[in-house]
Amino acid sequence: MEQFMELALREAGLAFDAGEIPVGAVVVFEDRVIGRGHNQTRQLHDASAHAEMIALSAAYNHFGDWRLEECTLISTLEPCPMCAGAAMLSRIKTIIYGAPDPKFGACGSIINIPSEKKFNHHIEVVSGVRKDEVAALMKLFFQQVRNGKEGVN
């Protein structure tokens, strides 16, 4: 899955270059990328325009269905409650992410939606893939924001 995290990191770079929080995601089915996305909340003026949501939407379009039962969602950052919930509802098989998100993480950091026993679907979660690279990109972005460069408010 390293090669797919590389693609997610490229997507995160597109977000970074656009002044968005640098998160990228891809959806993989049978070793092929069927959806990709990067954060576009500022650009689209849409709080739901997270990398994972955009990648999931592209995957739905690929299949013409909302069920992604044999797919893997790969994100540079731990998905938030909205994105983890969308993955759950989509029946994603596995979520792989790079760095944990101590403020909004919903795959173990704050809450754990994929493993919640009350839900009828559970998702395997793999964390820490290229964690240091993801963390470095996030750190650089927020340093630039603090220094007054373009980016999140």
Side-chain angles (χ1 to χ4, degrees):
M1 286 294 155
E2 280 286 321
Q3 72 272 24
F4 297 119
M5 183 58 83
E6 176 63 31
L7 295 175
L9 279 161
R10 287 183 196 168
E11 288 290 326
L14 295 173
F16 183 95
D17 292 344
E20 300 274 0
I21 295 174
V23 178
V26 295
V27 176
V28 176
F29 176 70
E30 295 181 347
D31 289 327
R32 286 190 357 255
V33 173
I34 60 166
R36 64 180 66 223
H38 57 274
N39 276 4
Q40 297 182 54
T41 56
R42 290 172 49 103
Q43 178 184 351
L44 299 177
H45 308 286
D46 181 349
S48 69
H50 288 197
E52 300 92 337
M53 299 297 286
I54 293 167
L56 287 168
S57 185
Y60 304 144
N61 289 332
H62 173 82
F63 285 122
D65 193 5
W66 57 268
R67 290 177 195 87
L68 303 174
E69 293 168 335
E70 294 301 317
C71 295
T72 298
L73 172 63
I74 300 167
S75 179
T76 57
L77 189 66
E78 179 182 4
C80 72
M82 173 182 64
C83 296
M88 174 78 65
L89 292 170
S90 302
R91 310 300 193 262
I92 285 284
K93 183 176 182 177
T94 306
I95 293 174
I96 298 171
Y97 69 87
D101 184 347
K103 293 186 178 183
F104 291 100
C107 295
S109 289
I110 296 176
I111 59 175
N112 198 337
I113 290 173
S115 296
E116 174 55 53
K117 292 179 182 5
K118 293 178 183 174
F119 291 130
N120 66 342
H121 179 72
H122 302 102
I123 301 172
E124 174 189 10
V125 175
V126 177
S127 63
V129 178
R130 297 181 73 171
K131 172 182 161 183
D132 294 338
E133 289 174 70
V134 173
L137 183 62
M138 297 294 284
K139 183 177 179 180
L140 177 61
F141 176 80
F142 285 109
Q143 281 175 339
Q144 288 186 2
V145 168
R146 283 190 295 280
N147 291 333
K149 298 206 175 177
E150 187 63 25
V152 73
N153 295 333

